[in-house]
Amino acid sequence: MLQKTHSAAGLVAAELVIVYHEGSFWSWEAAGALLLGCLAGPLADVDKQGSTMAKLLFPVSALLRLLNVRHRTMTHSIVFILTLMVLSLPLSPLYHAVFIAAYLSHPLIDLFNEQGVHLFWPLKARVRLLPKFLAIDTGSTSETVFRWMLLAVGIWLPVSAIGFPRLF
């Protein structure tokens, strides 16, 4: 999946956390949470040379390359996610939940890709949810449709939280 699809998934994850916490979408805290979701969604691709996250976090990307970490392995694994959960505990409860949910959205939607992910890294087995003929190829029309569906949900969630009767 492309960075913009992962950002859309991170946005939806952040919105779901805000709804779960019964927060208002019209606050600075929510704005920060939405931005955090958009950034944490594609963060796992720091392991892919040339990706937006690898460019933004070049020192981390360079270290991963020196350690010979391949794409969709360590940074997409359950072990890494659990480590991030512990390291991000100092964040406020809302931001911690948004960061983890948005980061989790990344390997989750990569499971729909034909290549899958090394979810149980350091084990070598790749996991994917769809058979190859249904898989969503990176940059394909099916990924574009998937991204637009995510964006539709991203628009619907805040609107539904406000409630239509209060708008008129």
Side-chain angles (χ1 to χ4, degrees):
M1 304 283 177
L2 297 172
Q3 180 266 328
K4 50 191 167 185
T5 305
H6 286 298
S7 287
L11 173 73
V12 170
E15 290 177 345
L16 289 170
V17 170
I18 291 169
V19 168
Y20 178 79
H21 282 249
E22 298 177 354
S24 168
F25 282 96
W26 305 106
S27 68
W28 286 111
E29 187 178 32
L34 295 174
L35 179 61
L36 178 60
C38 288
L39 293 173
L43 185 58
D45 278 345
V46 70
D47 65 357
K48 184 174 193 239
Q49 190 174 1
S51 72
T52 302
M53 287 297 128
K55 290 174 186 174
L56 287 173
L57 301 170
F58 177 75
V60 175
S61 177
L63 176 63
L64 292 172
R65 196 171 35 246
L66 282 173
L67 295 173
N68 203 26
V69 173
R70 292 186 352 256
H71 183 48
R72 292 192 179 133
T73 58
M74 183 183 81
T75 62
H76 290 63
S77 70
I78 291 172
V79 170
F80 194 79
I81 292 165
L82 291 173
T83 303
L84 284 178
M85 289 175 84
V86 172
L87 292 175
S88 62
L89 277 173
L91 295 173
S92 74
L94 175 66
Y95 287 173
H96 179 261
V98 164
F99 178 72
I100 297 304
Y103 193 92
L104 270 171
S105 74
H106 189 113
L108 177 66
I109 67 172
D110 274 355
L111 290 173
F112 294 114
N113 193 286
E114 182 180 329
Q115 290 92 22
V117 297
H118 288 270
L119 199 58
F120 301 106
W121 177 90
L123 301 176
K124 300 276 187 203
R126 286 186 178 262
V127 179
R128 72 170 186 262
L129 295 177
L130 298 174
K132 286 187 179 190
F133 70 94
L134 287 177
I136 300 173
D137 291 330
T138 301
S140 67
T141 301
S142 56
E143 181 184 358
T144 302
V145 169
F146 182 69
R147 181 173 50 252
W148 280 105
M149 289 172 27
L150 285 170
L151 291 171
V153 171
I155 292 168
W156 175 78
L157 279 169
V159 169
S160 68
I162 294 168
F164 286 109
R166 285 186 261 159
L167 287 177
F168 300 105

